[in-house]
Amino acid sequence: VRDLLKDIESSKEQGCIDLTKKFDKYDGEIVVSKERIDEIKKTLDQKTKDDVQFSYDRVRKFAEAQLKNYGQDFEVELSKGLYAGQKLVPVNTAGCYVPGGRYAHIASAVMSVTTAKVAGVKNVIVCSPPKEGIGAHPTIIYTADLCGADVILNLGGVPAIAAMTNGLFNNPPADILVGPGNQFVAEAKRILFGKVGIDLFAGPTEIAIIADAKADPEIVAVDLVGQAEHGYNSPAWLYTTSKRIGDYVIKRVPELIAELPDLPRENAGAAWRDYGEVILCDTDEEMATISDEYAPEHLEVQTQNLEWFHKRLKNYGSLFIGEETTVAYGDKCSGTNHILPTKGAARYTGGLFVGKFIKTLSFQRMSKESTKSVGAACARISRYEGMEAHARTGDARLRKYGFSN
């Protein structure tokens, strides 16, 4: 990845084009044309459009609710004549990566592009890996356009991350990169973090379920398999106080996996074999403690005491309360964002939300009178630190406004 990034920094667009031919066997247009978007709009079936709209409406509504209740511009007088405050300003350009390898992650376009646009980002650039002779998945292109993408690129993997970071194909450089991806995408974002902001360091997707004796064991098993199909290295964890449910899940999950089509069966089978866990606990508190230690990306709670767990749990990417909801709902269309922390990162961060695209900027303004105290203090502190030039900026104002140091 490091070598590829270095090559693309010098070879620029041609490097992206050459690597796209090599890795994706694609030699068509890179910047998706308006004609291509219009063609997709005309040819995509109405049901698919309706489903995307359904997801978009809810994600947008949720993002608007977040925006309304998250943060405000304000100003406060800290001392006489000294006013300080903050202003919320969206980043100028966001790069959104939408996976399209094993599966066409249509909902990822909704999650990232919609949230960025609601936050007020002026330029949203979308990259999604192309297929030979086709380009990016048509429904991904349609969805990205519907949600407000300004530019859509047929680029995947490292070329995509490099192109958005370096402002290639006549686009402004991204201020922040968001969206899930494979290990190469994650590593590219990690390496470039600092030159560009990122949403979070992402690993394979995860599911955990807290279940007591009253849970429906079939629902529990189905939900574990539902997330395990993402990939061979996707953990699926069950924390339960019921040995009966634990035994049922251990027997039933392989049966459910065996019934899947080839690719999901292969992914889920490997994930459950290598990363599946059933942890038998004595109490609700023990289940909560273990869950917080794992800090799962997605956490379902299927218990009698739903309210207690909601209040008690602290570490998770997104919480699904009661058997009526499930991870797939949040992944696709219910409204909450599915770009979430993995590999224990939920201990210190939540998932993608409007605030990721907004900078909280501080400001201050002062009266001349306030310099009497502030300027003098600044000069003294600066000299304590050995920063004489800093001190003299205060001195100059004290002299000008007729105050002694």
Side-chain angles (χ1 to χ4, degrees):
V1 169
R2 188 176 292 108
D3 291 339
L4 290 174
L5 290 172
K6 186 175 182 181
D7 289 343
I8 293 173
E9 192 169 356
S10 57
S11 60
K12 299 186 182 301
E13 282 85 351
Q14 191 58 49
C16 290
I17 292 169
D18 293 342
L19 288 171
T20 299
K21 289 180 181 178
K22 178 180 178 180
F23 292 125
D24 299 304
K25 306 296 189 293
Y26 174 80
D27 59 0
E29 65 178 9
I30 296 296
V31 179
V32 179
S33 66
K34 291 295 183 183
E35 290 77 16
R36 175 61 173 153
I37 295 172
D38 290 339
E39 176 189 350
I40 291 169
K41 288 180 180 179
K42 293 175 182 176
T43 58
L44 204 62
D45 67 277
Q46 188 60 46
K47 176 59 178 172
T48 301
K49 294 179 181 179
D50 291 343
D51 289 342
V52 171
Q53 187 73 47
F54 183 89
S55 176
Y56 168 72
D57 288 343
R58 282 152 181 78
V59 172
R60 182 176 179 87
K61 184 176 181 179
F62 181 77
E64 288 172 341
Q66 283 184 307
L67 186 61
K68 180 180 179 180
N69 294 288
Y70 175 77
Q72 298 182 54
D73 291 357
F74 72 87
E75 183 179 78
V76 62
E77 187 176 17
L78 299 177
S79 60
K80 188 171 178 57
L82 169 58
Y83 298 87
Q86 71 178 25
K87 182 179 181 182
L88 305 182
V89 178
V91 299
N92 189 61
T93 302
C96 300
Y97 188 86
V98 180
R102 285 187 295 253
Y103 306 104
H105 290 275
I106 296 163
S108 287
V110 181
M111 303 292 168
S112 57
V113 178
T114 303
T115 309
K117 277 299 181 182
V118 170
V121 178
K122 180 181 178 183
N123 304 307
V124 175
I125 302 166
V126 171
C127 281
S128 192
K131 299 292 187 182
E132 184 176 358
I134 298 174
H137 194 286
T139 311
I140 289 177
I141 293 175
Y142 171 81
T143 303
D145 178 69
L146 171 72
C147 297
D150 297 286
V151 177
I152 307 169
L153 303 180
N154 289 312
L155 286 176
V158 176
I161 300 303
M164 291 188 286
T165 299
N166 296 311
L168 305 185
F169 300 101
N170 299 314
N171 294 307
D175 301 307
I176 187 170
L177 299 174
V178 304
N182 63 20
Q183 60 265 45
F184 300 103
V185 170
E187 179 64 9
K189 289 167 69 177
R190 187 193 67 80
I191 290 171
L192 290 169
F193 177 56
K195 182 174 184 178
V196 64
I198 66 172
D199 47 0
L200 40 80
F201 294 109
T205 191
E206 306 161 351
I207 182 175
I209 299 178
I210 294 175
D212 63 14
K214 294 297 184 181
D216 182 333
E218 181 70 8
I219 292 291
V220 172
V222 167
D223 285 4
L224 289 169
V225 175
Q227 198 68 7
E229 78 169 337
H230 268 281
Y232 69 92
N233 54 356
S234 293
W237 304 312
L238 169 62
Y239 322 127
T240 182
T241 49
S242 169
K243 187 174 186 301
R244 176 184 61 85
I245 287 182
D247 289 339
Y248 182 94
V249 166
I250 289 172
K251 177 180 181 296
R252 183 62 174 144
V253 164
E255 296 172 351
L256 293 169
I257 291 173
E259 297 169 358
L260 295 172
D262 290 347
L263 180 59
R265 183 174 68 248
E266 180 182 345
N267 288 338
W272 181 250
R273 181 189 67 233
D274 296 335
Y275 297 94
E277 296 182 32
V278 176
I279 300 176
L280 186 60
C281 303
D282 292 324
T283 64
D284 286 356
E285 177 59 35
E286 185 179 6
M287 287 195 291
T289 298
I290 290 174
S291 181
D292 278 349
E293 289 175 358
Y294 277 62
E297 178 189 17
H298 306 95
L299 178 58
E300 295 185 5
V301 181
Q302 299 183 28
T303 65
Q304 295 182 87
N305 198 0
L306 295 175
E307 185 177 354
W308 183 87
F309 278 101
H310 191 188
K311 291 179 179 178
R312 167 64 180 80
L313 294 165
K314 304 297 181 185
N315 297 338
Y316 52 81
S318 192
L319 187 64
F320 301 81
I321 304 168
E323 74 164 36
E324 295 83 2
T325 186
T326 182
V327 170
Y329 292 176
D331 271 356
K332 307 306 178 187
C333 62
S334 63
T336 54
N337 207 292
H338 79 191
I339 300 171
L340 301 166
T342 62
K343 301 183 76 67
R347 292 179 294 107
Y348 58 83
T349 186
L352 188 66
F353 74 119
V354 289
K356 289 283 187 179
F357 299 99
I358 296 175
K359 301 176 291 183
T360 301
L361 306 178
S362 62
F363 65 86
Q364 62 177 271
R365 61 186 182 85
M366 295 172 58
S367 66
K368 292 178 180 179
E369 181 65 29
S370 64
T371 294
K372 183 176 183 179
S373 58
V374 177
C378 173
R380 289 192 296 270
I381 293 169
S382 297
R383 290 192 170 96
Y384 295 152
E385 296 176 342
M387 303 186 77
E388 183 61 26
H390 279 65
R392 293 180 183 182
T393 64
D395 293 345
R397 287 165 175 77
L398 289 166
R399 286 194 300 270
K400 180 175 182 178
Y401 304 150
F403 304 121
S404 59
N405 192 343

